[in-house]
Amino acid sequence: MTRDATAALASPALAPWAVDPARSRGRRHAEAATPGRNEHQRDRDRVVHCTAFRRLMYKTQVFINHEGDLFRTRLTHSLEVAQLSRSMARMLRLNEDLVEAIALAHDLGHTPFGHAGQDALHACTAALGGFEHNLQSLRVVDELEQRYPAFDGLNLSFETREGILKHCSPRRAASLEALEPGGVARRFVDGTQPSLEAQLVNLADAMAYNAHDVDDGLRSGLLDMTQLAEVTALGRVQQQVLAEYPGLASRGRRLPSEMLRRLLSTQVRGLVDCTDQAVRAAAPRSVGELRLLPPLAALPPTLATEFSELKRFLFAALYRHPQVIQTTAAARQVVSELFDAYCAAPGEMPAEHADGADPKRAVADYIAGMTDRFALREYHRLTGRIPFPAALPPALWSAARSAPV
Ligand code: MG
């Protein structure tokens, strides 16, 4: 590679409105700077090495982990979000390390079995204020990870934690604010925005799951190409691809792969251009000023409309598909019966979970940390029942007590 080509690929200087790692608002527990890495690279590295990150490999988004080896898991989803976020951050001269740290951490608080698991845990913990995966992701990095001698959690920087807490009800925000005045929940009280890096990851998350759920939906046979052609954005890319490659429909996975590649490229380009225009027009002089403005990261209106249509399509055709509903109903039952079983017999959990000051919250934390397969094993061990009999290899049903992956 020539020197010029190498220079063109180097990270550009940060925009004035980007989060500068040298001016981080710091960590909850003060730590000395480390040589060779900035504060957000350090956050990213802490996330990659934590236990909750490895568990993402066996947690699902839409399908249950045992349903097929080629479907996305929370881990591959998080990597896709990181890839999209980094590409866009570089084009916009934002902090790439920060978007990567937020993206890799954003789903750490997800329960087993995707949204079905979260809904069940939310219902089980209604008397304690419920369960919400964004808050749980923050709880994982602030409290639940046990890796450092001097503090609980990963002690991440303010900016990474701000990006992880992407939604929060006013009631929750008030209680978090009481515990950490002026902290990451403050913006929900004040009605201000997070960094542009956090806004970007939030949109990259939705772009990633919309595209990969179409792909996984096709792979599973629950969606077909005729249905996709009726969705505006997908129909358009399908026509473009078939005009260029007329025989591609009969060549396996190349057609949907090329369609989704073009869909994502169009969205990335649209989001970068639209956000760039908005931020240049508003011209904040710092991330502090940017936080006081309306949200600036956005798709252009036409793409945003198509994006909503695609979301609605996935909701109706895939997330509400009878086969998915049947599986998620079983998953909900697994989570709520596990919750009842551990509440009735906390000694069934490892001692460090059974000793919590708030026993029901400790049970929720324990279940939220489980992988799909560990939750299924525990369900079988505690109830003797098998929730998904047809789909599971007998070897999975080991009654042996083992720690979560
Ligand atoms: Mg996500």
Side-chain angles (χ1 to χ4, degrees):
M1 196 178 280
T2 64
R3 181 182 291 225
D4 281 354
T6 310
L9 291 176
S11 296
L14 290 178
W17 43 81
V19 172
D20 180 350
R23 303 178 70 180
S24 168
R25 283 176 57 177
R27 303 174 189 277
R28 297 204 300 167
H29 307 276
E31 290 186 69
T34 189
R37 287 182 299 167
N38 70 40
E39 295 306 318
H40 302 124
Q41 289 172 319
R42 220 173 162 189
D43 284 355
R44 186 244 354 253
D45 298 347
R46 288 179 182 201
V47 170
V48 167
H49 287 279
C50 81
T51 311
F53 185 69
R54 286 192 295 284
R55 287 184 186 146
L56 296 176
M57 191 191 305
Y58 298 104
K59 291 191 181 198
T60 43
Q61 295 264 108
V62 176
F63 299 90
I64 306 296
N65 186 236
H66 64 257
E67 290 181 309
D69 290 346
L70 298 178
F71 296 133
R72 266 65 170 191
T73 65
R74 292 266 169 213
L75 181 64
T76 59
H77 163 71
S78 301
L79 295 173
E80 290 181 26
V81 177
Q83 181 276 315
L84 289 170
S85 303
R86 281 198 73 137
S87 291
M88 295 191 288
R90 181 172 293 211
M91 293 181 218
L92 288 163
R93 295 196 295 133
L94 299 176
N95 182 335
E96 280 183 63
D97 300 312
L98 174 59
V99 296
E100 188 176 23
I102 297 170
L104 295 178
H106 86 281
D107 270 354
L108 291 179
H110 262 290
T111 60
F113 314 126
H115 288 280
Q118 168 173 299
D119 292 347
L121 214 47
H122 184 62
C124 292
T125 54
L128 322 175
F131 180 92
E132 208 281 307
H133 74 264
N134 287 301
L135 285 168
Q136 190 70 8
S137 296
L138 191 65
R139 198 165 151 73
V140 167
V141 301
D142 281 355
E143 293 175 43
L144 299 180
E145 280 288 323
Q146 300 175 3
R147 304 188 66 79
Y148 294 88
F151 44 77
D152 289 336
L154 303 177
N155 199 30
L156 301 181
S157 71
F158 173 87
E159 295 78 16
T160 302
R161 296 174 60 241
E162 170 192 54
I164 292 172
L165 189 64
K166 57 182 177 179
H167 309 294
C168 188
S169 69
R171 190 173 53 81
R172 285 298 181 91
S175 55
L176 284 174
E177 173 66 16
L179 293 171
E180 185 191 354
V184 287
R186 182 57 178 263
R187 70 182 172 94
F188 298 100
V189 178
D190 292 347
T192 56
Q193 303 306 316
S195 69
L196 196 54
E197 283 85 351
Q199 297 178 35
L200 203 63
V201 177
N202 200 6
L203 288 163
D205 182 20
M207 284 160 57
Y209 67 66
N210 274 349
H212 66 52
D213 287 352
V214 169
D215 194 34
D216 285 351
L218 281 172
R219 230 177 251 284
S220 66
L222 300 185
L223 300 180
D224 62 44
M225 293 298 276
T226 319
Q227 285 172 291
L228 301 195
E230 287 165 17
V231 182
T232 309
L234 294 171
R236 184 176 60 242
V237 285
Q238 187 184 44
Q239 281 174 12
Q240 283 171 2
V241 176
L242 287 175
E244 282 179 52
Y245 301 98
L248 207 59
S250 60
R251 295 184 61 203
R253 300 211 44 80
R254 289 174 200 250
L255 175 59
S257 297
E258 180 63 11
M259 285 166 57
L260 292 172
R261 194 183 70 76
R262 291 184 187 211
L263 177 79
L264 277 173
S265 296
T266 308
Q267 288 172 351
V268 162
R269 201 62 258 170
L271 196 148
V272 165
D273 290 346
C274 186
T275 303
D276 192 45
Q277 281 171 21
V279 75
R280 282 176 194 282
R285 283 169 299 180
S286 66
V287 63
E289 283 191 14
L290 178 135
R291 285 189 171 104
L292 302 176
L293 297 167
L296 295 177
L299 286 164
T302 319
L303 288 185
T305 306
E306 290 181 2
F307 196 68
S308 305
E309 184 199 352
L310 176 56
K311 261 188 173 172
R312 283 196 305 276
F313 163 74
L314 281 168
F315 197 83
L318 184 62
Y319 312 144
R320 288 292 161 113
H321 190 288
Q323 207 170 312
V324 172
I325 298 248
Q326 198 180 9
T327 316
T328 52
R332 265 202 298 275
Q333 189 185 342
V334 168
V335 168
S336 51
E337 289 190 30
L338 277 178
F339 186 85
D340 292 342
Y342 292 126
C343 285
E348 295 292 346
M349 296 189 292
E352 73 262 29
H353 294 278
D355 294 344
D358 180 345
K360 288 192 171 179
R361 183 55 66 190
V363 170
D365 286 338
Y366 184 52
I367 295 174
M370 290 180 179
T371 61
D372 295 3
R373 62 185 191 173
F374 183 74
L376 292 173
R377 272 197 222 118
E378 279 291 275
Y379 181 79
H380 181 60
R381 184 179 72 80
L382 293 167
T383 69
R385 293 198 297 278
I386 297 175
F388 306 100
L392 288 171
L396 197 63
W397 301 110
S398 157
R401 184 74 183 265
S402 57
V405 175

